[in-house]
Amino acid sequence: MKKTVLVSATILMLTGGMANAVHVWEDPGAWSSGVFVYNVPPENRFTANELSLDLSGSYIAPQRGLQHLFETDIRHRGKWGGNVGVNYFFLPYLGIGGNINMSANGGSFVDQALGNLILRWAICPIGLAPYIFGGGGRGFDSFGGVDRFDPAWQWFADGGVGLEWRPNATTGIFADATYMWHLKEGSFDQLLLRFRLRLVF
């Protein structure tokens, strides 16, 4: 619990801003020098040719079907862990992303790898961007077999929704939910929740 509070406080301290939306490959000094400034023009927070890195906590739980989604008990049913992802936006509203999830389940180091097409709607005056995504991936461990904690080496399709807030052009805080439909008959579906920090380059 103390570690979670410390990490959260550190992330909030880093969410300053930049005066301009400068990508790291255009001007590395400008990208890093204004991290604690909050005067970036709102229209410059979500841009084309944008590369970002996701560093997040995650929660994953088996599901008996989409109709049972809201019965999920996050205290007892699933596993907490971490997630790392990379996104690239060709246009301000269209991009692709990939991430790997690592759950504290005692199994494989990487449990799932996902790839998605992302559509976002930037509400520039307040720095918010709701987004939807869909794609698929591969499961390497946990929740997929006849027993929900058996190893599962199988493909799945996924879709989800999320919300990102950017106080500046280089830092975002996001949360999203991904529902994964396993393609093998008899397997458990999964719900993946992510929350925390996005660094934009």
Side-chain angles (χ1 to χ4, degrees):
M1 182 65 181
K2 291 181 179 179
K3 183 183 291 186
T4 302
V5 172
L6 180 60
V7 171
S8 300
T10 303
I11 289 169
L12 290 174
M13 288 173 59
L14 292 175
T15 56
M18 280 187 58
N20 297 293
V22 178
H23 297 298
V24 67
W25 53 85
E26 296 170 351
D27 189 346
W31 182 86
S32 61
S33 63
V35 174
F36 296 102
V37 180
Y38 186 79
N39 63 352
V40 60
E43 63 272 14
N44 290 344
R45 295 180 193 176
F46 301 94
T47 63
N49 301 315
E50 176 188 286
L51 178 68
S52 61
L53 172 68
D54 295 343
L55 302 171
S56 61
S58 69
Y59 169 83
I60 191 163
Q63 299 291 319
R64 293 177 293 145
L66 194 56
Q67 67 272 23
H68 299 288
L69 178 63
F70 295 104
E71 298 173 10
T72 303
D73 182 352
I74 65 172
R75 292 179 298 175
H76 302 109
R77 288 193 64 195
K79 296 291 183 181
W80 296 92
N83 189 286
V84 178
V86 176
N87 312 293
Y88 183 78
F89 277 82
F90 308 99
L91 301 169
Y93 56 86
L94 178 65
I96 56 174
N99 66 85
I100 58 172
N101 190 59
M102 301 149 285
S103 300
N105 57 13
S108 299
F109 179 68
V110 175
D111 296 317
Q112 295 86 19
L114 304 86
N116 290 290
L117 180 69
I118 309 167
L119 294 173
R120 72 179 175 191
W121 176 42
I123 308 173
C124 292
I126 56 176
L128 284 177
Y131 58 93
I132 60 173
F133 54 90
R138 178 80 168 167
F140 303 107
D141 199 13
S142 77
F143 303 145
V146 175
D147 181 86
R148 62 180 182 171
F149 294 105
D150 281 347
W153 296 75
Q154 55 189 273
W155 297 99
F156 57 82
D158 73 76
V161 297
L163 180 66
E164 180 182 359
W165 175 63
R166 286 191 189 170
N168 57 69
T170 62
T171 311
I173 298 173
F174 74 94
D176 58 29
T178 306
Y179 194 90
M180 294 176 276
W181 292 270
H182 277 83
L183 304 180
K184 182 179 178 181
E185 186 175 352
S187 296
F188 282 87
D189 291 345
Q190 295 168 286
L191 172 67
L192 173 64
L193 304 177
R194 301 188 305 158
F195 48 91
R196 207 56 61 83
L197 180 67
R198 177 165 290 152
L199 299 173
V200 182
F201 300 96

